[in-house]
Every structure is written in structure tokens, then in C-alpha cells.
Amino acid sequence: MRLAVLSGGVGGARFLRGVLDVIEPTDVTIVGNVGDDLEILGLHVSPDLDSILYALSGLSDEERGWGRADETWNALASAADLGGDAWFRLGDRDIGLHLVRSQLLREGRPLSSVTAHLARAAGLECTLLPASDNPLRTFVETPAGTFAFQTWFVARGHQDDVDAVHVTGAPEAAPAPGVLDALADADLIVITPSNPYVSIGPILAVAEIREALEDRSAPCVAVSPLIGGRAVKGPADRMLERMAGGTSPAHLAACYAGLIDVLIIDEADAQAELPTDVRTVVTRTLMTDDEARRRLARAVIDAAGSPA
Amino acid sequence: MRLAVLSGGVGGARFLRGVLDVIEPTDVTIVGNVGDDLEILGLHVSPDLDSILYALSGLSDEERGWGRADETWNALASAADLGGDAWFRLGDRDIGLHLVRSQLLREGRPLSSVTAHLARAAGLECTLLPASDNPLRTFVETPAGTFAFQTWFVARGHQDDVDAVHVTGAPEAAPAPGVLDALADADLIVITPSNPYVSIGPILAVAEIREALEDRSAPCVAVSPLIGGRAVKGPADRMLERMAGGTSPAHLAACYAGLIDVLIIDEADAQAELPTDVRTVVTRTLMTDDEARRRLARAVIDAAGSPA
């Protein structure tokens, strides 16, 4: 069974670990968000692609929830002492990856090729693709002004309410090589439990990816990032409340109108308002351990095959 | 008393610590070698400027003899795991500096301006200048072929005998802003106990710097890097033996023909062949501790003022 998965960072990466436990990794193509990429200290950082790479190669820090295990922070401290930017937390081992990526990009290789190189070197057997090789950059409109994604998310601690999300570069961006083929060839398309606005939204902002989903032949299953109307992590609930008017499964499904067939929701949301145009499947979605992740992955696969 | 000091890396840096203990730091301008600069992992590394900066700001690792104290090596290990170059040992704290330098250079600032920024941020009160803002690169001719300096020195462990040294970019290079003024205004010009071919040579390969030394009004004192005809560290003795025909003070002085007035030599070399065209001053040159460094610095200053 071939899967194409649209994924954000940390939550998506955690979900993908379960997927790769129950599906042959070589049958899985992951299309990762690059709207929150940034250039800092002269490094090209792709936080979502890296969260996926680290999680799937066993390099991620489970306790901290982001970045790498056994991490140190000396390069950033040294750079800060010398006047360099230090607001975006980059660990030393993480910087090692960014150095390799940035150098290959400067040599003229597209991000998809560099990502493939890094994924292979890290031992990934699945395919990891950026949504696009073109620079997409997510900006959020807030009452305090418009901010680049990481400025809002990290530097300002995503305190500001968000009125709108823009992804610059998206209209003219082409899907990275392999993305459209993966969507066309998939037996199942999955949207990870990620923020619909700033994690999945920038992938769908690429017109040809959105069109491929609209015209899909395979079923598309989205997993809700909400439990009881609350985000497990991050500002998805506040954003849904403000921009969609609520945090029910119906409100979430509206973000993916015309793009999904099934929405997987948590038991805690079964009594909330459900969407009328997509099927909902109720299960436990909190990924507390490997078994919980596998169970959720199986639920996604089963949901696609089960009758409406 | 204003000093202009032409300096290589580690040995020069060690000597400079003594100088700054006995001379007002604001009266000292250091002109550092940049012939062994390299681009690696997309970083611009200036090993000699950094050895000086680290030594003078108290950041250097005394035991290892190069690089920074309390250093870790995780970024390089990570980069190596992902296929990045790892033959040139870059510590995490060191990389922090290279990130800041490389970013500022990419923004279009010249190396001299970036170096001034880094030196100020590190708390240096003396002036630290690269010999030139233009790219100088040292190459060595050996029986095994011609190698870029760091390939020969680090990757090949300077095992190959050297038949000749070339500094590309030097003929057309301009001295960095401030270099000629420092040489013209100095009351004393000093050449640190460094390798004459690959540490001081690339500075003197800049035509206007060599001319300024030839036309100097202040005395120029060189400190021999040899003790008993042997280099304290590195391949200077082997290079002198092969390219100059010997390692006596006379052979060393010949490297600086027309450029120096005094050569400071160690007691262990007092019985070897002495130069006839420059005055020699015999002292103890091994820099075992702070007091030894200060004594050597005082000897240099005294030598310049004492009668022939």
C-alpha cells in the first residue's frame, strides 16, 4: 500500500513514526512543510523537514520534544557572544546538519535533492520531499503587525492572535520533483495531526498540490491535531477559534474542504459538532508511546478502506 | 611606544600575549596571516586570526595548543555523519565564530571590518588586521604534488617535504585598511616567532607590505621560531633545511633579507652560524609561562632600542 503523507513538524513526525512501523517504509512518501524555513546565521534551516528526519532516524530528543538528543549549545552561545543571532535555538548537532544542507544549497542543488541526500545519510528508507524547491515563507497577520513565521512563533512565543496566514512564493511555486507523482500513485493520502494553517496550509498553498488533492483518485484521511477541542501542542486551537470560529471537528474539516474524505478525531471530540461532508472516525489520537502511534496509524489505514 | 606586529597563528599568538602584558594594548596593531584561510562546510575560517583572537581574549585552549577552551565537537560529528567534510577540526564554539564571520562576509563586509567586529566583541583592545581583504591562499609544492595549505598541513599532516610556497592572489592584493598606516606610524615593527614561509611569508607576499618593510623608518625585530635549530612546533625546521639549506640564525635571517634589523635568537642557537647583515640578540625564547612571554617581549623592545 503506497502512502503519500502531507506533514508538519513535531506532531507530524511523531505520527509518521507509527506509520513507518505498520507500512513498508519504501512505500511511504512524505511531503513536508517548508513555509517555516528560515535563514539564520547564514544557515538554511528547515525545521519541519528536520523534525521528521530526526524522529524517523531515532535522533530526536524525546523529552524536549524538538531537536536532537544529546545536544549541546556551544556554537550558538559563541555566536551570541560575538553579536550573532541567538533567538532561534540551534543545537550543535543540529547545526552540523544545517551546515551540510546550506553548503549543498549554495552549490546550486535544489532543496529536494539536498533533503534526499540528508535523509539517505540519516538512514531513512521512506522518501522525504519538501513541498517545493521554491522558497515558500509563511507570514502571520496579527493585531501587533505582520510577522515572519519564526519571528511570531519563536521570537514572540506565538503570543499574538493570528487573523490571517500568508505564504509568500506559493502561487508561483512548483511542487518539488516527486510530489505530484506520489499523490497520483498513492493508494492513500494522509494529512498528519498538524496545525492546518501554518503546517499543512503552506503545503496546500502550492496550487498544483492543492489541485492534485482536489482531483485525487485515492482517499485522503486527515488526523485531527485536537483533543477535546484543544491542541496537544502549539497554537492550533487558538487559531481555529479565531479564524474558523471554533475548534470542533466541523471547524477543522472546513480547513480541508474538498480535500479530505475522512477525518480521524479523538474520542474527546465525538460529541462536538461533526462535519457533514466528510466521514469521521473516532479513536484515541494521543500518541503517548510506540503502541499508541501504531494504533493511530492502523486506524488511519483502516478508515480509508472501511465503508462510509 | 607604537608596535606593528606581523604574526602567524599559534606561536605568534602566544608571543603576542607577552607583548600585550608589557605594552599598552591600544598601541599595538597586529597584522595577521590569512594565507591559510579556508572555506569549509560553507564557513570562512581564518585560523591564524582566530588563534590570535582566542589567545588574546583568554578563550584559547592551553593544553591542546589550538582552538578554544571547553570545546565540544558535536556539529562536526553530525556534519560528518551526513556526508560533510570533517578533516578540518572545527569545534562547536569555534564554529559559532565562523558562522558570525561568514554571515557578515556574505553581507558584503570586508574581512578587515568583520575581524574588527569580532575582535571588539571578544574584548580585544589592540587592533587586529588581516594582511589583506583580498583572498590570499597559500599553496605548497611538494614531491607529491601541489597542495592548498590546509590540505598539506592538516589533511596530510605536513608529512610532505616542501620545495616551494606560492601565495595566490598576493601580487594583486592590497594591504587591508590600516596596515600601511600601522607600519608607517610604528616605533617598532615586530615579526613573531612564526614559520617564515607559510605564516609570515604570505603577509610579505603582499607587495605593498613588503615595500613598506623595505622602506621602514622604524626598526624591525624578528623573533626566531627555532631553538637549537629545531622548530618548537610545526615544520619550520624541515622547510628551512630543504629550502634555505639549514636552520641556523643565518639561514632564518636570509628569509627576511632587507626587511629586519634585529633577529632575536635562543641561547641554544648562539653558537650556530649568525647572520652578518642583521644584529642578533641572544635570549631565552621558549614561552613556557606568562613570565617567559613577558621576558621575551621585553627583550624584543629592548633590542630595538639598544645600539648595534
Side-chain angles (χ1 to χ4, degrees):
Chain A
M1 183 185 218
R2 283 162 303 180
L3 254 65
V5 187
L6 312 193
S7 178
V10 174
R14 196 165 288 177
F15 170 75
L16 282 161
R17 286 174 56 186
V19 169
L20 294 182
D21 275 352
V22 301
I23 294 274
E24 193 62 44
T26 51
D27 285 338
V28 177
T29 298
I30 303 161
V31 180
N33 171 38
V34 290
D36 55 6
D37 283 19
L38 72 160
E39 291 275 340
I40 190 151
L41 289 172
L43 299 169
H44 181 110
V45 181
S46 296
D48 283 3
L49 295 179
D50 296 343
S51 289
I52 296 167
L53 185 145
Y54 292 151
L56 298 185
S57 56
L59 296 172
S60 56
D61 189 289
E62 293 298 296
E63 279 192 40
R64 197 188 317 115
W66 57 272
R68 292 184 59 155
D70 300 320
E71 189 57 291
T72 52
W73 309 87
N74 292 324
L76 198 72
S78 158
D81 287 344
L82 298 167
D85 275 333
W87 61 270
F88 194 82
R89 299 284 295 152
L90 296 173
D92 296 327
R93 293 183 195 277
D94 194 31
I95 284 174
L97 179 144
H98 304 317
L99 285 168
V100 175
R101 171 192 288 124
S102 304
Q103 187 182 20
L104 293 173
L105 288 173
R106 278 199 198 94
E107 289 171 4
R109 286 175 65 167
L111 182 60
S112 56
S113 160
V114 175
T115 303
H117 165 86
L118 295 172
R120 205 164 39 235
L124 263 61
E125 296 177 86
C126 61
T127 301
L128 177 59
L129 300 174
S132 177
D133 281 333
N134 304 119
L136 307 182
R137 290 297 179 269
T138 301
F139 288 82
V140 294
E141 276 182 33
T142 81
T146 299
F147 299 108
F149 176 80
Q150 299 292 2
T151 303
W152 167 71
F153 194 79
V154 176
R156 299 177 66 91
H158 50 77
Q159 298 278 344
D160 313 277
D161 286 325
V162 176
D163 294 310
V165 177
H166 301 293
V167 185
T168 65
E172 59 272 30
V179 170
L180 295 183
D181 284 346
L183 291 171
D185 296 345
D187 300 305
L188 171 60
I189 300 169
V190 180
I191 295 177
T192 59
S194 302
N195 187 310
Y197 295 106
V198 293
S199 295
I200 304 300
I203 304 175
L204 299 173
V206 178
E208 287 183 72
I209 296 181
R210 172 173 283 273
E211 287 161 19
L213 244 70
E214 287 170 346
D215 302 341
R216 68 195 175 279
S217 50
C220 180
V221 177
V223 182
S224 170
L226 304 170
I227 295 182
R230 308 286 301 174
V232 175
K233 189 166 174 294
D237 47 5
R238 282 175 58 215
M239 297 179 78
L240 275 162
E241 190 68 58
R242 188 172 175 96
M243 287 192 280
T247 64
S248 72
H251 290 106
L252 177 64
C255 295
Y256 298 131
L259 305 177
I260 64 173
D261 303 288
V262 181
L263 179 65
I264 308 272
I265 63 171
D266 193 78
E267 293 169 346
D269 296 288
Q271 305 307 318
E273 186 189 352
L274 301 184
T276 53
D277 51 343
V278 307
R279 191 155 54 85
T280 50
V281 170
V282 179
T283 186
R284 277 176 291 157
T285 63
L286 190 63
M287 296 177 283
T288 45
D289 57 20
D290 286 348
E291 183 45 38
R293 277 188 281 270
R294 282 192 286 268
R295 197 176 52 231
L296 181 57
R298 279 191 213 101
V300 168
I301 293 158
D302 292 347
S306 63
Chain B
M1 183 184 217
R2 283 161 304 181
L3 255 66
V5 187
L6 311 192
S7 178
V10 174
R14 196 165 288 175
F15 169 74
L16 282 161
R17 286 175 56 186
V19 169
L20 293 182
D21 275 352
V22 300
I23 295 274
E24 192 62 45
T26 51
D27 284 339
V28 177
T29 298
I30 303 161
V31 180
N33 171 37
V34 290
D36 55 6
D37 283 19
L38 73 161
E39 291 276 339
I40 190 152
L41 288 172
L43 300 170
H44 181 110
V45 181
S46 296
D48 284 2
L49 295 179
D50 296 343
S51 289
I52 296 168
L53 185 145
Y54 292 151
L56 299 186
S57 56
L59 296 172
S60 56
D61 188 290
E62 294 298 297
E63 279 192 41
R64 197 187 318 114
W66 57 273
R68 292 186 58 156
D70 300 321
E71 189 57 291
T72 53
W73 308 87
N74 291 326
L76 197 72
S78 159
D81 287 344
L82 298 167
D85 275 333
W87 60 270
F88 194 84
R89 299 285 293 150
L90 296 173
D92 296 326
R93 294 182 195 276
D94 194 32
I95 283 174
L97 180 145
H98 304 318
L99 285 168
V100 175
R101 172 192 288 124
S102 304
Q103 188 182 20
L104 293 173
L105 288 173
R106 279 199 197 93
E107 289 171 6
R109 286 174 65 166
L111 182 59
S112 55
S113 160
V114 175
T115 303
H117 165 85
L118 295 172
R120 206 163 37 235
L124 264 60
E125 294 176 89
C126 60
T127 300
L128 177 59
L129 300 173
S132 177
D133 280 332
N134 305 119
L136 307 182
R137 290 298 179 269
T138 301
F139 288 82
V140 294
E141 276 182 32
T142 80
T146 299
F147 300 107
F149 176 80
Q150 299 292 2
T151 304
W152 167 71
F153 193 80
V154 175
R156 298 177 67 92
H158 51 78
Q159 298 277 345
D160 314 277
D161 286 325
V162 176
D163 294 311
V165 177
H166 302 293
V167 185
T168 65
E172 58 273 30
V179 170
L180 295 182
D181 285 345
L183 291 171
D185 297 344
D187 299 305
L188 171 61
I189 300 169
V190 180
I191 295 178
T192 59
S194 301
N195 187 310
Y197 295 107
V198 293
S199 295
I200 304 300
I203 304 174
L204 298 173
V206 177
E208 288 183 71
I209 296 180
R210 172 174 282 273
E211 286 161 19
L213 244 69
E214 287 170 346
D215 302 340
R216 68 195 174 279
S217 50
C220 180
V221 177
V223 183
S224 170
L226 304 170
I227 295 181
R230 308 287 300 172
V232 175
K233 188 166 176 293
D237 47 4
R238 283 175 59 214
M239 297 180 78
L240 274 162
E241 189 68 59
R242 188 174 175 95
M243 287 192 280
T247 63
S248 72
H251 290 105
L252 177 65
C255 295
Y256 298 132
L259 305 176
I260 64 172
D261 302 288
V262 181
L263 179 65
I264 309 271
I265 64 171
D266 192 78
E267 292 168 347
D269 296 290
Q271 305 308 316
E273 186 188 353
L274 301 185
T276 53
D277 52 344
V278 307
R279 194 155 51 85
T280 50
V281 170
V282 178
T283 186
R284 277 176 291 157
T285 62
L286 190 62
M287 295 178 284
T288 46
D289 57 20
D290 285 347
E291 183 45 38
R293 278 188 281 270
R294 282 192 286 267
R295 196 175 53 230
L296 181 57
R298 279 191 214 101
V300 168
I301 292 159
D302 292 347
S306 62

